[in-house]
Amino acid sequence: MSKKIAILPGDGIGVEIVAEAVKVLEHLKGDGLDLELVEAPVGGAGYDAAGKPLPDETLALVKEADSILLGAVGGPQYEKLPRELRPERGLLGLRSELGLFANLRPAILYPQLADASSLKPEVVAGLDIMIVRELTGGIYFGEPRGIREKANGEREGFNTLVYSESEVDRIARVAFDIAMKRGKRLCSVDKANVLEVSELWREVVERVGEEYQGVELSHMYVDNAAMQLVKWPKQFDVMVTKNMFGDILSDAAAMLTGSIGMLPSASLDANSKGMYEPIHGSAPDIAGKGIANPLATILSVAMMLRYSLDEPVLADKIDTAVGRVLDKGLRTPDIMSAGCKQIGTVEMGDAVMAELV
Ligand code: NAD
């Protein structure tokens, strides 16, 4: 049965890098995978086309699609718009409308790029961590929130950190399932020494863990986890954490690998329908120059095949093709190093395609 894939290039380099990932998807179609690709605007492009960052037609498309490939949203020309019309609102709208509660952020350091990390090669070479971040709850969404005036006339800002047992249960299950398919070690990151929310989080994660006897579960306070990530990151296999902690830790983990242009991500709902996107933004500083690295987006297609389309062999094929391109010394400027050949966005897409056949 044909699978419908919504293609949302978004803004800035999103358009350039998604075009390369689409080449890979078209190639897979030629390889016998039954896909229907439908493109729609989102973010600033959505605002330009329909006056809002998540146009109704785009929302209808993503709801009926089996999977979504997103480039990136945002740009300086949209920064003065009212908050609800800004491109980032399109992204938040997609996550909440589709119930994408599980964000999977791998931090993988390709051995060919070990020099790109700011840490010593022996600390990061072979790094392969999966961070599972809760994406639709916690302090980013908790109510009440706002800025109010106190009796003495001073203003105070306030947000609410809240997690229900069912929210913790479902993200824990995603993390345990992934750990089962990887190194069978899961570290749950919290702040249980200070926060009641974390106390409950820990209790529920342990309860779910009883059903996954094959997985070694550990707990770590978030401040320690931040330290351990830069001290000895290879101690981690899978990490699971709340929305805000995951936001911060996954960016730190991404930086261990040295290049933001190499890292894909997935956001999944309860039925493994997913939105796949590079972790980076729309990079207005290099947009239109043809030098953006498309590999994170191409690797996002591999994640789509693995987590939503149940095509692990094809996913491996893409991962292998990317590895071979790096072996050949082909590099976009962001990952360029001595002795390698610098190429642009389209050439990088073509190089991956050449390794796929
Ligand atoms: P960014 O990730 O766009 O760029 C940070 C730096 O990394 C820039 O120097 C950029 O040139 C470089 N970079 C990013 N992706 C690259 C790639 N594929 N190849 C080569 N270099 C790459 O972050 P920013 O500059 O803070 O934000 C720019 C815009 O993107 C803002 O409007 C922001 O809101 C938006 N943003 C969107 C998303 C998203 O769509 N998921 C995420 C982050 C930021």
Side-chain angles (χ1 to χ4, degrees), residues 11 23 64 84 111 118 149 212 228 245 286 333 349 351:
D11 309 316
K23 278 197 224 166
E64 65 173 22
E84 67 278 8
S118 53
E149 202 168 291
Y212 293 85
Q228 296 300 328
F245 295 165
I286 57 166

Side-chain angles (χ1 to χ4, degrees), residues 13 72-75 88 91 260-261 277 280-286 292-293 334:
I13 62 166
V73 301
E88 294 72 17
L91 204 57
I260 199 169
E277 55 181 313
H280 58 72
S282 57
D285 53 333
I286 57 166
N293 187 346
D334 57 309

Side-chain angles (χ1 to χ4, degrees), residues 11 13 17 70-76 78-79 87-88 91 95 251 255 259-262 265 277-287 291-297 332-335 345:
D11 309 316
I13 62 166
I17 53 179
L70 176 80
V73 301
Y78 305 111
E79 274 165 17
E88 294 72 17
L91 204 57
R95 287 174 185 165
D251 268 14
M255 275 302 97
S259 177
I260 199 169
M262 292 296 301
S265 76
E277 55 181 313
I279 67 155
H280 58 72
S282 57
D285 53 333
I286 57 166
I291 57 171
N293 187 346
L295 292 179
T297 319
T332 43
D334 57 309
I335 51 172
T345 311

Side-chain angles (χ1 to χ4, degrees), residues 36-114:
E36 183 194 354
L37 310 182
V38 187
E39 193 174 314
V42 73
Y47 174 77
D48 291 341
K52 49 184 178 177
L54 182 51
D56 299 341
E57 280 182 22
T58 304
L59 183 57
L61 169 68
V62 297
K63 282 192 168 164
E64 65 173 22
D66 295 286
S67 233
I68 299 130
L69 181 69
L70 176 80
V73 301
Q77 68 273 42
Y78 305 111
E79 274 165 17
K80 293 214 162 62
L81 286 174
R83 198 167 282 277
E84 67 278 8
L85 293 179
R86 286 193 205 151
E88 294 72 17
R89 277 298 161 115
L91 204 57
L92 293 178
L94 282 168
R95 287 174 185 165
S96 59
E97 288 283 345
L98 297 174
L100 303 174
F101 69 92
N103 186 217
L104 278 46
R105 296 254 312 239
I108 296 172
L109 184 64
Y110 284 83
Q112 301 92 328
L113 302 179

